[in-house]
């Protein structure tokens, strides 16, 4: 698939311009535009991952609300493990963050 390229002009300080040029050379980008496109793609991917994590958290919270029998830590742990296995998280730290957010939301919903 061929994408039509559009032009976007940006202004940078000399310091930022020098940084971009060093990154282009250091990482073998063909030009500054290639470097900026890569940064934008990475930002889009990160945004998508954040969206997926939020959706997973919402699913955890909704399951907790629909299943009050998850009051025991064993049942919650089994549920969280199942959801984490199905989620797009990639590291233990991300799993921990999701667990902490879900537990916090569950505690707030009980108040």
């Amino acid at each position: 698939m061929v994408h039509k390229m559009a032009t976007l002009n940006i202004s940078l300080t000399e310091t930022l311009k020098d940084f971009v040029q060093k990154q282009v050379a250091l990482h073998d980008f063909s030009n500054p535009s290639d470097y900026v496109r890569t940064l934008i793609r990475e930002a889009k991917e990160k945004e998508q991952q954040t969206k997926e994590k939020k959706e997973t958290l919402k699913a955890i919270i909704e399951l907790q609300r629909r299943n009050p029998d998850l009051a025991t830590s064993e049942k919650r742990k089994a549920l969280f493990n199942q959801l984490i296995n199905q989620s797009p998280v990639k590291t233990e730290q991300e799993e921990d963050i999701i667990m902490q957010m879900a537990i916090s939301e569950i505690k707030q919903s009980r108040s």
Side-chain angles (χ1 to χ4, degrees), residues 56 59 63 79-89:
T56 300
L63 281 171
L79 172 65
F80 291 149
N81 285 338
Q82 176 187 355
L83 290 169
I84 286 171
N85 288 338
Q86 297 170 355
S87 77
V89 298

Side-chain angles (χ1 to χ4, degrees), residues 84-98:
I84 286 171
N85 288 338
Q86 297 170 355
S87 77
V89 298
K90 302 200 178 7
T91 66
E92 286 184 26
Q93 182 181 10
E94 290 173 330
E95 290 177 7
D96 290 343
I97 291 168
I98 286 177

Side-chain angles (χ1 to χ4, degrees), residues 27-42:
H27 299 289
D28 293 324
F29 289 102
S30 58
N31 54 49
S33 291
D34 189 29
Y35 173 66
V36 171
R37 281 190 297 272
T38 298
L39 292 177
I40 293 169
R41 280 191 293 274
E42 289 172 354

Side-chain angles (χ1 to χ4, degrees), residues 16-93:
L16 288 177
K17 179 183 172 191
D18 292 343
F19 176 80
V20 169
Q21 290 173 332
K22 287 178 185 174
Q23 294 303 303
V24 169
L26 183 65
H27 299 289
D28 293 324
F29 289 102
S30 58
N31 54 49
S33 291
D34 189 29
Y35 173 66
V36 171
R37 281 190 297 272
T38 298
L39 292 177
I40 293 169
R41 280 191 293 274
E42 289 172 354
K44 281 181 67 176
E45 182 177 309
K46 183 177 179 182
E47 185 175 299
Q48 180 62 32
Q49 289 173 350
T50 299
K51 179 182 174 187
E52 291 171 357
K53 289 174 195 173
K54 286 180 181 179
E55 289 171 359
T56 300
L57 177 59
K58 287 178 185 177
I60 291 170
I61 293 165
E62 183 58 31
L63 281 171
Q64 172 65 29
R65 287 185 180 139
R66 287 190 315 228
N67 299 290
D69 62 327
L70 294 175
T72 66
S73 62
E74 295 82 18
K75 289 182 180 180
R76 279 195 308 275
K77 185 175 181 179
L79 172 65
F80 291 149
N81 285 338
Q82 176 187 355
L83 290 169
I84 286 171
N85 288 338
Q86 297 170 355
S87 77
V89 298
K90 302 200 178 7
T91 66
E92 286 184 26
Q93 182 181 10

